[in-house]
Amino acid sequence: MPAKLDAFIDRLGLRSPLSQEERAALAALDPPVSERRARWDLVRPGERVDYACLVIAGVVGRAEQFADGRRQTTAVHVPGDMADLHSVPVPRAAWAITALTDCTICEVPHGQLRELATRYPAIGAAFWRDTVADASVYSKWISVLSRHDARGRMAHLLCELGPRMEAAGLGRADDFELRLTQDQLSEVLGVTPVHVYRTFRALRDAGVIATERRSIRVLDRPALERIAEFDPAYLLLGRD
């Protein structure tokens, strides 16, 4: 089994140069690992936490919780993501962090992350850049929800998740596994589960994607990106 933090370190390295010593210091962390079932709240709104959730396996969502019980998922986190690195300086949670699928999670103590950021300024800068990327994705998704119809939202989600899955070593940008249910996708897209099904069918019928169980295969990426008005620059998957 790969070391616990390998995927996270590799993803930090996509955006930030890290020396072998700095990578080794990160890899030396040995946080506890826990298994969580789908729908388990890893962090509840208003809860004060002293650790950040690193996704080792599965998919995690960050969600707004409304008084009537409805949720709007505003971020989807895949293996290698530290879903709430922002909680290091702001430990009281404003959102729910929820296991969308069965997950393996590392709870990385804030104190250890602060110590690394202090001892190694480049690691601190990498953490900072990672939270900027997280905010960029969050901001983009809010604009997608407010401006796109269901088809545009679905197209944008698929355009985004493909490169992120590829960066995590979990398939290719145009061929990856999407393990979310229609109910969960409805909470991400802000539409009903029936509308999720119809939107998938419309994209399939247009020859833009193919689906088989949980697999998504993009057949016409230029068309998908046109529907989504997708520009990958906001993902910050580089060192510019």
Side-chain angles (χ1 to χ4, degrees):
M1 177 179 175
K4 296 176 186 176
L5 274 72
D6 278 0
F8 176 61
I9 296 167
D10 288 343
R11 210 211 45 217
L12 286 179
L14 290 175
R15 299 185 175 112
S16 306
L18 294 171
S19 69
Q20 287 302 114
E21 180 183 357
E22 290 155 352
R23 293 175 70 93
L26 284 163
L29 293 173
D30 190 25
V33 175
S34 58
E35 306 287 337
R36 293 289 182 254
R37 303 290 292 177
R39 292 292 183 178
W40 183 281
D41 279 343
L42 307 171
V43 177
R44 296 179 177 84
E47 182 179 358
R48 188 178 181 86
V49 294
D50 59 4
Y51 58 84
C53 297
L54 172 62
V55 185
I56 302 298
V59 181
V60 167
R62 188 163 70 228
E64 297 283 354
Q65 176 78 57
F66 297 99
D68 63 2
R70 290 179 301 124
R71 288 191 174 193
Q72 174 63 59
T73 300
T74 54
V76 175
H77 295 286
V78 302
D81 287 356
M82 196 169 282
D84 53 351
L85 184 58
H86 56 267
S87 69
V88 177
V90 185
R92 191 171 299 282
W95 310 277
I97 306 291
T98 303
L100 298 181
T101 67
D102 292 350
C103 287
T104 304
I105 302 294
C106 277
E107 298 176 352
V108 188
H110 286 170
Q112 294 181 15
L113 295 171
R114 281 193 292 268
E115 181 183 352
L116 278 178
T118 300
R119 194 187 337 155
Y120 298 99
I123 291 179
F127 288 167
W128 189 0
R129 193 170 289 112
D130 197 65
T131 58
V132 169
D134 183 71
S136 179
V137 172
Y138 176 81
S139 177
K140 174 61 72 173
W141 190 243
I142 295 304
S143 68
V144 168
L145 287 174
S146 65
R147 295 295 181 181
H148 283 320
D149 61 11
R151 194 173 70 131
R153 295 175 193 182
M154 177 69 82
H156 206 282
L157 180 67
L158 299 180
C159 283
E160 176 184 305
L161 285 180
R164 290 177 59 198
M165 289 292 196
E166 183 171 275
L170 298 171
R172 301 191 306 276
D174 290 340
D175 191 354
F176 60 93
E177 187 177 77
L178 182 64
R179 298 177 58 196
L180 305 184
T181 66
Q182 287 190 22
D183 284 344
Q184 290 167 335
L185 284 168
S186 76
E187 292 180 354
V188 175
L189 301 177
V191 299
T192 66
V194 170
H195 214 150
V196 170
Y197 172 78
R198 290 173 178 166
T199 304
F200 264 129
R201 186 176 64 188
L203 291 173
R204 287 196 302 265
D205 290 347
V208 177
I209 65 169
T211 61
E212 184 177 352
R213 296 185 180 178
R214 296 175 174 177
S215 295
I216 302 292
R217 188 155 52 93
V218 178
L219 304 177
D220 189 341
R221 175 160 285 275
L224 190 67
E225 291 185 350
R226 281 195 300 272
I227 294 167
E229 298 181 44
F230 182 75
D231 179 349
Y234 76 95
L235 293 173
L236 306 181
L237 288 174
R239 298 183 184 178
D240 291 344

